[in-house]
Amino acid sequence: MPNTVAYPPRRADALTRDTIIDAAIALLDTAGEGGLTFRALAARLATGAGAIYWHVADKDDLFTAASDAIVARAMQAAPFGATPQAGIRAVALTMFEAMDAHPWLGSALSRAPGQLPTVRILERLGQQVDALGVPQHRQWLAACTLLNYLLGVSGQNAANAVIAREKGLERAHFLDSMAGAWSRLDAQAFPFARKVAGQLRAHDDQEDFLAGIDLIVHGMQALHADR
């Protein structure tokens, strides 16, 4: 009996690590972290899983490599700026936008502490911290404070956007509802939440994020003035 099993067509060009990483990024963007499997990746690349394992060790290696590719491109795209403050803002904004475009990136970076993707960001921030005149014994603290704020707020913003899409929430309506709920909280137990409820309704995530970066930079400048 003739063999009637249909096999997917094999790719004609050579498979490279960069090709695999680009395909993994596309898969992560469309299917999320849970959709990144070697079977799905092999199907997208029209190859066998064994060919992929020749270039990457396992899923964790691939996940980190994909995040490093995004971060490296973001760092190349971020201008150094006319001043250290502008350079820090540029890195922060570029990463905010990258994590918004690739919501899985926050998880990838949090699972690879001290590895190359995070070090790339820390290096750029650290160079600007040094140029800002922060005393050398405070530079580690200053750069890490920036890094942790950047990753934490950007990652949370991206996660919120994913939740909103999954639940079909419209941002303005959601914030209006939340602001209304805050304004009805007990005045003695939650005086601050009631006071800022109106600001919650109208706030801009990106503007708030950059304002936080500016606050940290102002604190760094105070360190420079007090040394």
Side-chain angles (χ1 to χ4, degrees):
M1 175 180 289
N3 187 355
T4 59
V5 177
Y7 293 96
R10 296 290 176 170
R11 61 185 302 116
D13 57 325
L15 192 65
T16 66
R17 181 177 172 85
D18 287 345
T19 302
I20 294 171
I21 291 171
D22 285 341
I25 291 171
L27 192 58
L28 285 162
D29 287 346
T30 56
E33 184 180 346
L36 180 62
T37 67
F38 273 62
R39 170 178 284 186
L41 190 59
R44 177 178 285 269
L45 291 167
T47 189
I52 298 173
Y53 279 113
W54 181 262
H55 296 276
V56 293
D58 50 34
K59 181 177 177 178
D60 287 341
D61 180 34
L62 181 58
F63 200 39
T64 301
S67 67
D68 187 47
I70 296 295
V71 170
R73 294 165 191 171
M75 292 303 97
Q76 290 175 356
F80 277 87
T83 64
Q85 297 94 318
I88 290 171
R89 265 181 146 256
V91 170
L93 180 57
T94 301
M95 283 305 305
F96 185 91
E97 292 173 343
M99 294 176 78
D100 187 55
H102 309 281
W104 51 270
L105 183 57
S107 174
L109 294 175
S110 67
R111 286 167 48 180
Q115 296 188 43
L116 196 54
T118 306
V119 176
R120 289 187 195 277
I121 308 170
L122 181 66
E123 177 63 31
R124 280 291 296 274
L125 292 173
Q127 290 178 22
Q128 300 306 308
V129 165
D130 188 32
L132 198 62
V134 174
Q136 186 170 349
H137 70 283
R138 298 287 188 91
Q139 289 183 3
W140 164 256
L141 174 62
C144 286
T145 299
L146 276 170
L147 177 67
N148 291 334
Y149 173 83
L150 187 160
L151 295 180
V153 176
S154 298
Q156 187 60 60
N157 178 75
N160 290 344
V162 171
I163 293 171
R165 285 195 295 270
E166 290 176 346
K167 294 186 175 181
L169 301 175
E170 196 274 321
R171 185 178 187 278
H173 176 71
F174 174 72
L175 291 179
D176 187 65
S177 298
M178 184 177 292
W182 283 22
S183 67
R184 294 188 295 272
L185 291 171
D186 183 87
Q188 290 188 330
F190 302 97
F192 180 77
R194 284 173 58 101
K195 183 169 62 176
V196 300
Q199 297 177 42
L200 170 66
R201 181 180 286 111
H203 84 282
D204 180 273
D205 294 323
Q206 189 178 103
E207 288 182 3
D208 287 355
F209 169 71
L210 291 175
I213 290 290
D214 290 340
L215 284 173
I216 296 173
V217 171
H218 291 329
M220 293 177 184
Q221 291 171 317
L223 289 176
H224 176 47
D226 293 341
R227 66 176 178 176

